[in-house]
Amino acid sequence: MTTLKNKVGWLLIIIINVIPVIIWLSSGPAFFLNPGYKTLLISLGQLTAIIGIMFLAIAIILSGRFKVLENIFGDISNIQIAHEILGGVGTLLLLGHPLFLALDRGSSSLMKGVLFMLPRNDLAPNLGIAALILLLLLVFLTYFVKLRYNIWKYTHQFLGIVLVLGLFHMVFAPSNVYEIKVFIAIWSFIGIAVYLYRTILSPVLVQTSIYIVKSVTIINDGIVEVKMEPKNKPLHFLPGQFVFISFKCNGIPLEVHPFSITSDPQDKMLSLDIKSLGDYTAHISALQPGSEAKIEGPFGRFLEENSDHQIWIAGGIGIAPFLSKLNSLRYQRLSIDLYYVVHTQEEAVHVNDLLDVAKNNPHFRVRLYDSSKEGHLTAEIVQTMSGNLKNKHIYICGPPAMEKDLKKHFQDLKIPSKYLHTNRI
């Protein structure tokens, strides 16, 4: 179901972007009317601008974390992938727009090509040049400078300003095809509205839940368990979902990060297992009971398919989303093989809880897989140990490289994509 919905989401994206291209083609591009090197450059400059600004607008819309988009794409991880693809390709196309037009001017005179890229006494090109400079700066900071996550996220928000500048550049630029301007303006305004919703208006408009930290427990050298209780109404969630959370506590950066929920949906307390993987998570052990947590969510549809036969594969902290469904397995009789992959057995967490459920439910089988002794877990090993994988839903949560490799290996075994689920947050 998730795979089908993702295809529907991409189909809608394609249709939305094809419409202005069809309008542009029907208007008679310069190259169609008078084929040649110069008209080809002009036409490419126009086409990259049309698709580039549309891609950027839709990429920003996809970043809004709207539940309706989850219904269309099937899962927030699919939305994130689409956001990254459209944002990256849209950026390249927008960079190509002035380049093609500068090459057109430069074909007759190098000086004309240089002057085209410089500010002048004309609002439309100056807006475009400002958007170009900001876009180049963001590309440089993203791909050539190693920024802390919170700084990168802050700079990433300036893509909204690029969209604003690009929109007004298009509005004031001379053109006889007003239908394209209207169509792009509508989607750009939606993108700008989402940008404002997520930045300036976020504290007022974005719905959040307030929780109070009750305990902070260091499970092992790298993982901290945080338990919280609701200040008002508790959050309603399903097993496998995650939340975006920020903590208000001295010594903890006031940043928003996603974490999988590990507690049972029936519990009033909300718990997270947080592994020290970067600058932010390294501070979590300093979190104090009584601190306030602001939570947005829940999100995600991992573990949504409630099939009778399942394979769970968890790599390290990837065990987290599976834990939220653990208590229900005490009375549900789903046939589940869990492969818990760790570098060493000391890294494994909540093993006693897993084994306790397995002891009382013969349909739930736990395999603690020590990769330092047994090597990488492969799809072939899973097939050998679990038997026939036909019609079994396979859930994989772990490091991105592990998820990618295992998914490919299962596909090589002719497992259809609709039976393969990953938890990308």
Side-chain angles (χ1 to χ4, degrees):
M1 182 64 72
T2 297
T3 303
L4 178 61
K5 285 186 175 182
N6 190 33
K7 290 179 180 178
V8 171
W10 275 106
L11 179 61
L12 287 175
I13 288 175
I14 292 170
I15 292 173
I16 291 168
N17 284 280
V18 163
I19 291 174
V21 174
I22 292 175
I23 297 173
W24 176 74
L25 290 172
S26 65
S27 70
F31 179 75
F32 286 14
L33 299 176
N34 184 23
Y37 175 70
K38 287 178 65 65
T39 54
L40 175 62
L41 291 173
I42 293 172
S43 297
L44 287 174
Q46 293 172 346
L47 188 59
T48 51
I50 292 169
I51 302 177
I53 195 169
M54 284 295 299
F55 274 20
L56 182 58
I58 295 175
I60 292 175
I61 293 170
L62 293 178
S63 70
R65 300 180 199 158
F66 300 116
K67 293 295 179 68
V68 65
L69 293 178
E70 272 198 279
N71 293 333
I72 294 174
F73 284 85
D75 190 82
I76 197 169
S77 61
N78 295 329
I79 299 173
Q80 180 64 23
I81 292 170
H83 165 77
E84 292 173 1
I85 292 173
L86 293 177
V89 176
T91 296
L92 291 175
L93 291 171
L94 289 174
L95 291 175
H97 166 62
L99 178 61
F100 285 123
L101 297 183
L103 288 173
D104 166 51
R105 270 62 169 188
S107 62
S108 58
S109 168
L110 179 61
M111 184 56 68
K112 286 184 178 180
V114 173
L115 292 175
F116 176 79
M117 302 297 288
L118 298 176
R120 68 208 76 157
N121 190 26
D122 192 338
L123 181 59
N126 287 345
L127 289 169
I129 291 169
L132 174 63
I133 292 172
L134 182 55
L135 196 58
L136 286 170
L137 178 61
L138 293 176
V139 169
F140 176 76
L141 292 175
T142 300
Y143 295 103
F144 300 100
V145 180
K146 190 175 181 180
L147 300 172
R148 288 172 58 100
Y149 173 80
N150 62 317
I151 298 176
W152 170 85
K153 187 176 179 181
Y154 175 75
T155 60
H156 199 63
Q157 293 177 348
F158 280 86
L159 282 173
I161 298 178
V162 172
L163 179 60
V164 173
L165 292 171
L167 170 62
F168 284 101
H169 164 69
M170 178 200 70
V171 169
F172 291 114
S175 172
N176 295 324
V177 190
Y178 295 106
E179 295 86 353
I180 291 180
K181 284 191 174 185
V182 171
F183 188 86
I184 293 177
I186 290 172
W187 284 100
S188 296
F189 275 123
I190 296 174
I192 292 168
V194 172
Y195 165 71
L196 294 174
Y197 167 77
R198 273 286 156 201
T199 54
I200 298 173
L201 302 177
S202 176
V204 178
L205 297 181
V206 176
Q207 186 175 1
T208 56
S209 300
I210 304 299
Y211 273 69
I212 304 299
V213 176
K214 298 302 292 182
S215 66
V216 180
T217 306
I218 298 176
I219 299 179
N220 59 29
D221 289 342
I223 298 178
V224 174
E225 182 183 53
V226 180
K227 290 189 175 182
M228 301 162 286
E229 66 176 8
K231 189 174 182 179
N232 296 307
K233 292 178 62 177
L235 194 69
H236 296 287
F237 63 93
L238 298 174
Q241 290 193 301
F242 66 93
V243 294
F244 287 90
I245 187 168
S246 64
F247 295 103
K248 190 175 181 181
C249 175
N250 290 333
I252 307 293
L254 194 62
E255 303 172 15
V256 179
H257 289 264
F259 296 107
S260 292
I261 303 170
T262 59
S263 50
D264 184 271
Q266 304 302 318
D267 291 345
K268 184 179 180 181
M269 299 283 284
L270 188 73
S271 63
L272 311 172
D273 279 11
I274 301 176
K275 184 173 182 177
S276 178
L277 294 172
D279 295 328
Y280 175 79
T281 50
H283 293 86
I284 290 298
S285 59
L287 187 62
Q288 297 295 317
S291 301
E292 186 176 279
K294 181 182 289 187
I295 297 175
E296 181 187 355
F299 296 98
R301 300 193 172 186
F302 193 57
L303 300 180
E304 184 182 56
E305 298 284 351
N306 198 25
S307 61
D308 291 336
H309 301 281
Q310 303 177 16
I311 303 291
W312 293 359
I313 303 176
I317 194 61
I319 192 65
F322 298 111
L323 295 173
S324 65
K325 195 166 184 174
L326 197 59
N327 190 56
S328 66
L329 297 181
R330 298 180 188 276
Y331 53 85
Q332 287 184 347
R333 287 297 180 257
L334 302 177
S335 177
I336 297 173
D337 288 345
L338 167 62
Y339 294 84
Y340 186 4
V341 184
V342 291
H343 291 300
T344 63
Q345 293 197 20
E346 289 73 23
E347 287 185 0
V349 295
H350 302 288
V351 175
N352 290 336
D353 295 330
L354 295 168
L355 295 178
D356 181 59
V357 174
K359 180 181 178 181
N360 294 285
N361 181 358
H363 302 283
F364 179 58
R365 296 163 291 275
V366 178
R367 173 75 160 83
L368 187 60
Y369 191 91
D370 187 339
S371 62
S372 66
K373 298 177 181 177
E374 304 178 78
H376 291 299
L377 180 69
T378 65
E380 290 78 8
I381 292 175
V382 173
Q383 186 177 52
T384 299
M385 300 187 69
S386 293
N388 186 7
L389 300 179
K390 185 178 180 182
N391 297 330
K392 290 184 179 180
H393 283 269
I394 302 172
Y395 300 88
I396 310 168
C397 185
M402 170 187 162
E403 290 185 1
K404 182 179 179 181
D405 288 345
L406 279 172
K407 189 172 183 179
K408 181 181 183 302
H409 293 160
F410 279 116
Q411 289 173 334
D412 291 341
L413 293 178
K414 308 303 180 184
I415 304 298
S417 295
K418 66 180 182 179
Y419 291 111
L420 300 174
H421 313 273
T422 55
N423 191 39
R424 189 173 184 267
I425 63 173

